[in-house]
Amino acid sequence: MQKRQHNLCPESLENLTAELDKLRQLILTHAQSDPVIQVDQQLALTRLIPGLTMEDWNNLSEKYGFSEWFALDLDNSTYFNIANLQRVINDLTHKSERDALTGLYNKQAFEHKLSMELQRVERSNGQLSLAMIDLDDFKSINDTFGHSCGDEVIRTLADMLDASTRGYDHAARVGGEEFALLLPGAGPLRAKALMDRLCSMFADTLIKCKGATIQCTFSAGVASLKGRNKAKGQDLFDVADKALYRAKNAGKNQVHVTRQLIEFEYDRSTMVQTIPFFRI
């Protein structure tokens, strides 16, 4: 078998060992929760690790106790085939998560992102904002200019959401002319400022289609969450939707932020209580 030089940096090695430890713990937890284990049911997991030699793996296995993991050294042809399979899987995964028209996340993938961010907020006692966005009078654009121009308007807004947000924000198309934007770490004031800027930018955008020039606006509702709480993703959607409807009813082309923030809910059973002390 062909030897490859080890070129993993310390950070990559640390991430690898952390990943293996977490996976092992998950497997042990599952085994303990299932009193009946079928010995005839087995599963092999595959993880490609570029730059790691068999000698490196043996050293890691001995040091960190990974003797139950089976490693296979790959030659060029085998590695090429597996790497190609991995690219196909990654491509299929990408397509399953993305909206075909805009390239943004679809609703199912966005809900998964939201669930993950809610867990992160709970662990870090941080904050999170969700914006629901709806194009104003979109039916009239389809009726006047045709559905292909309507699609161009949708793509234009999608591109703006993708280009004008931070790298760790998540934008999705969740309906025909409906979008959602997830803003980790953003409170209501920062989320409102971002959405106001996007609202103004989009209203000033001239969209060319079939010789016509189209201008369109959107309305948005923002819901914010702070601290550890029992709120679910649907709770945040519902609050943001109500704020969106207020923006529509107030005249459209504007952003409303809910005043009913989902606040920190203390678990009082774990709180230390102060008992009054009286000197006699």
Side-chain angles (χ1 to χ4, degrees):
M1 296 184 180
Q2 181 178 348
K3 297 289 290 183
R4 294 186 297 274
Q5 295 297 319
H6 164 56
N7 58 7
L8 287 182
C9 64
E11 182 181 357
S12 297
L13 288 174
E14 182 180 350
N15 291 339
L16 173 60
T17 55
E19 180 180 332
L20 288 170
D21 278 332
K22 183 177 180 180
L23 180 57
R24 180 164 52 187
Q25 185 59 44
L26 288 172
I27 294 173
L28 290 174
T29 301
H30 174 73
Q32 292 170 358
S33 65
D34 188 356
V36 180
I37 299 178
Q38 301 292 334
V39 296
D40 59 335
Q41 295 180 349
Q42 301 184 46
L43 177 68
L45 303 176
T46 302
R47 169 72 155 84
L48 294 179
I49 311 174
L52 193 71
T53 67
M54 184 61 76
E55 181 180 357
D56 294 327
W57 170 256
N58 289 336
N59 292 334
L60 287 173
S61 177
E62 181 178 353
K63 180 177 180 180
Y64 295 100
F66 295 135
S67 58
E68 70 272 25
W69 300 95
F70 176 74
L72 178 64
D73 198 2
L74 303 178
D75 59 23
N76 287 339
S77 60
T78 307
Y79 180 83
F80 174 80
N81 290 331
I82 294 181
N84 186 57
L85 176 61
Q86 185 67 55
R87 282 193 293 270
V88 172
I89 293 174
N90 290 341
D91 184 56
L92 291 175
T93 301
H94 182 272
K95 289 180 179 178
S96 70
E97 293 181 341
R98 299 288 173 166
D99 171 63
L101 177 62
T102 64
L104 299 181
Y105 285 113
N106 57 31
K107 185 176 182 180
Q108 182 178 1
F110 184 81
E111 289 174 345
H112 176 70
K113 293 289 184 183
L114 175 57
S115 176
M116 297 297 291
E117 290 298 336
L118 285 172
Q119 294 178 32
R120 190 191 308 275
V121 167
E122 184 174 1
R123 290 195 304 268
S124 64
N125 191 23
Q127 53 188 352
L128 175 71
S129 290
L130 170 68
M132 295 298 297
I133 303 164
D134 188 82
L135 289 168
D136 296 327
D137 303 316
F138 185 69
K139 185 178 183 300
S140 65
I141 292 177
N142 279 333
D143 292 344
T144 303
F145 302 100
H147 287 275
S148 61
C149 289
D151 288 347
E152 187 62 30
V153 172
I154 289 174
R155 280 192 291 265
T156 299
L157 178 55
D159 291 343
M160 183 176 294
L161 293 177
D162 188 49
S164 303
T165 53
R166 303 165 300 178
Y168 47 88
D169 296 332
H170 306 292
R173 183 186 179 206
V174 295
E177 64 269 22
E178 297 174 327
F179 297 80
L181 186 60
L182 190 59
L183 304 169
L189 293 179
R190 183 185 299 180
K192 177 69 160 55
L194 171 63
M195 294 310 304
D196 280 339
R197 179 169 59 85
L198 288 172
C199 189
S200 178
M201 286 174 55
F202 187 67
D204 291 338
T205 299
L206 302 179
I207 304 169
K208 304 291 186 179
C209 182
K210 294 183 177 180
T213 299
I214 304 171
Q215 279 187 281
C216 185
T217 62
F218 70 73
S219 301
V222 177
S224 295
L225 175 149
K226 183 178 181 181
R228 299 184 181 92
N229 60 81
K230 299 178 181 179
K232 304 297 182 182
Q234 189 58 50
D235 298 327
L236 213 55
F237 270 115
D238 292 342
V239 175
D241 264 333
K242 291 178 181 178
L244 170 60
Y245 284 124
R246 289 198 296 272
K248 290 283 190 181
N249 293 333
K252 306 176 183 178
N253 189 27
Q254 56 190 279
V255 179
H256 274 221
V257 180
T258 178
R259 294 183 179 180
Q260 296 176 337
L261 299 183
I262 305 174
E263 297 287 359
F264 188 104
E265 295 182 7
Y266 291 94
D267 181 1
R268 298 189 180 274
S269 64
T270 63
M271 295 178 65
V272 177
Q273 298 183 0
T274 302
I275 301 176
F277 177 80
F278 298 95
R279 185 182 301 274
I280 298 176

